[in-house]
């Protein structure tokens, strides 16, 4: 039954995000802990079938996020991507620690589950009065920022509110997952890094978008310890396969650094604290 549940999760992730390969590797790297064909094969077949059926019913296929990048990658770009990976490798363990700290804080309140969830909802509701961008899993916000990057000040404010909302909802035990919020945190981290580095200049929004995508992949790798899945996930979600070599190196660096600083990934930590 456990294996069937994992297969179902792989199918759902691959179909929902239009990422059959990355969805399969999500199951293989994180849940199975191996890329052996015996484990990966059934998941790949299931995810591809689910995706093809969804595309047939929807009348076509399109990347989850619509991104237009026209820059040719140079040594400078690869250097910036690597720097983003190092930053993500440091921020990933910090993010997991913050989630653990938030959960322990809610536990210390000794509230019954309904009141604990209510408190988490109250915090998220209060943050939504500041910016509605904290609502949902962050998909619409990520899409809008990839189309038109906001100013650094606005992005920093939304990033802080969204981070607090994720910590409140996760710490209170509210169901909803941390995958897509992790993508938003990575995007914001990358774009803020571009802004602070002076790369976010008028007419240079494309550079911020590229570093933002790199941040998404690297932060996902740093929190899941699954660099191959993270690389393919961003490429499949955006259609930007030109970034594949740089993203792969970046994600490996982020994953290795994060694993060195903290042994558990976000999913192993999330399961352990709710057992």
């Amino acid at each position: 039954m456990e294996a069937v549940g994992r297969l179902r999760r792989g199918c759902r992730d691959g179909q929902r995000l239009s990422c059959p390969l990355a969805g399969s590797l999500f199951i293989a790297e994180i849940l199975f802990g191996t890329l052996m064909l015996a484990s990966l094969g059934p998941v790949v077949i299931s995810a591809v079938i689910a995706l093809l059926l969804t595309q047939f019913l929807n009348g076509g296929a399109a990347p989850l996020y619509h991104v237009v990048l026209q820059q040719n990658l140079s040594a400078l770009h690869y250097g910036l991507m690597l720097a983003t990976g190092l930053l993500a490798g440091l921020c990933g363990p910090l993010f997991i620690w913050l989630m653990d700290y938030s959960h322990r804080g809610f536990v210390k309140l000794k509230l019954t589950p309904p009141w604990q969830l209510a408190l988490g909802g109250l915090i998220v509701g209060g943050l939504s009065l500041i910016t509605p961008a904290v609502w949902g899993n962050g998909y619409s916000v990520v899409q809008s920022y990839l189309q038109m990057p906001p100013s650094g000040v606005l992005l920093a404010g939304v990033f802080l509110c969204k981070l607090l909302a994720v910590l409140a909802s996760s710490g209170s035990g509210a169901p909803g997952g941390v995958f897509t919020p992790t993508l938003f945190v990575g995007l914001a981290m990358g774009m803020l890094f571009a802004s602070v580095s002076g790369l976010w200049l008028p007419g240079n929004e494309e550079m911020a978008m590229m570093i933002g995508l790199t941040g998404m992949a690297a932060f996902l790798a740093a929190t899941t310890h699954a660099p191959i899945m993270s690389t393919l996930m961003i490429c499949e979600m955006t259609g930007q396969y030109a970034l594949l070599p740089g993203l792969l190196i970046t994600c490996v660096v982020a994953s290795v650094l994060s694993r060195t600083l903290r042994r558990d990934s976000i999913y192993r930590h999330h399961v352990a604290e709710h057992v």
Side-chain angles (χ1 to χ4, degrees):
M1 292 300 293
E2 183 179 359
V4 173
R6 289 174 174 177
L7 286 174
R8 287 176 177 172
R9 193 175 307 175
C11 294
R12 184 179 67 247
D13 291 340
Q15 170 267 327
R16 179 171 57 88
L17 301 175
S18 299
C19 305
L21 292 178
S24 303
L25 290 175
F26 177 90
I27 301 301
E29 280 192 290
I30 296 176
L31 298 182
F32 286 134
T34 177
L35 295 179
M36 293 179 61
L37 184 60
S39 301
L40 185 59
V43 181
V44 171
I45 295 173
S46 302
V48 170
I49 291 176
L51 177 64
L52 292 177
L53 180 59
T54 301
Q55 291 178 354
F56 174 76
L57 295 176
N58 292 336
L64 183 65
Y65 296 116
H66 300 281
V67 182
V68 178
L69 294 177
Q70 298 178 345
Q71 288 184 341
N72 294 321
L73 297 183
S74 63
L76 173 62
H77 293 94
Y78 285 112
L80 292 172
M81 294 173 78
L82 183 59
T84 306
L86 292 173
L87 177 61
L90 296 174
C91 293
L94 176 60
F95 180 67
I96 300 175
W97 178 83
L98 287 173
M99 291 184 63
D100 180 61
Y101 185 82
S102 174
H103 175 71
R104 287 189 281 110
F106 274 94
V107 170
K108 287 181 179 179
L109 295 176
K110 297 181 179 180
L111 300 174
T112 60
W115 284 108
Q116 185 169 296
L117 291 171
L119 178 59
L122 179 63
I123 295 174
V124 175
L127 292 170
S128 69
L129 296 177
I130 302 175
T131 170
V134 303
W135 291 342
N137 57 17
Y139 163 75
S140 59
V141 181
V142 170
Q143 180 62 76
S144 64
Y145 286 3
L146 287 175
Q147 292 180 342
M148 183 62 67
S151 66
V153 175
L154 175 61
L155 179 60
V158 174
F159 168 74
L160 179 60
C161 290
K162 183 65 176 179
L163 178 61
L164 292 175
V166 171
L167 295 176
S169 59
S170 175
S172 65
V178 294
F179 181 82
T180 311
T182 299
L183 293 179
F184 172 80
V185 172
L187 173 72
M189 181 203 69
M191 287 188 167
L192 286 173
F193 172 66
S195 178
V196 172
S197 302
L199 302 172
W200 201 329
L201 303 175
N204 202 26
E205 290 84 0
E206 193 167 315
M207 178 70 80
M209 291 167 58
M210 188 201 73
I211 299 300
L213 290 177
T214 303
M216 289 174 67
F219 193 73
L220 184 61
T223 53
T224 62
H225 299 171
I228 300 177
M229 178 277 295
S230 302
T231 301
L232 287 178
M233 181 71 72
I234 299 305
C235 289
E236 287 189 291
M237 291 171 69
T238 62
Q240 296 296 322
Y241 290 95
L243 300 177
L244 180 61
L247 288 182
L248 186 57
I249 297 174
T250 300
C251 288
V252 169
V253 170
S255 179
V256 170
L257 179 56
S258 176
R259 190 187 295 268
T260 301
L261 297 176
R262 188 182 181 98
R263 185 174 182 179
D264 291 336
S265 69
I266 192 171
Y267 285 101
R268 294 187 182 278
H269 158 80
H270 197 63
V271 170
E273 73 175 13
H274 288 89
V275 170

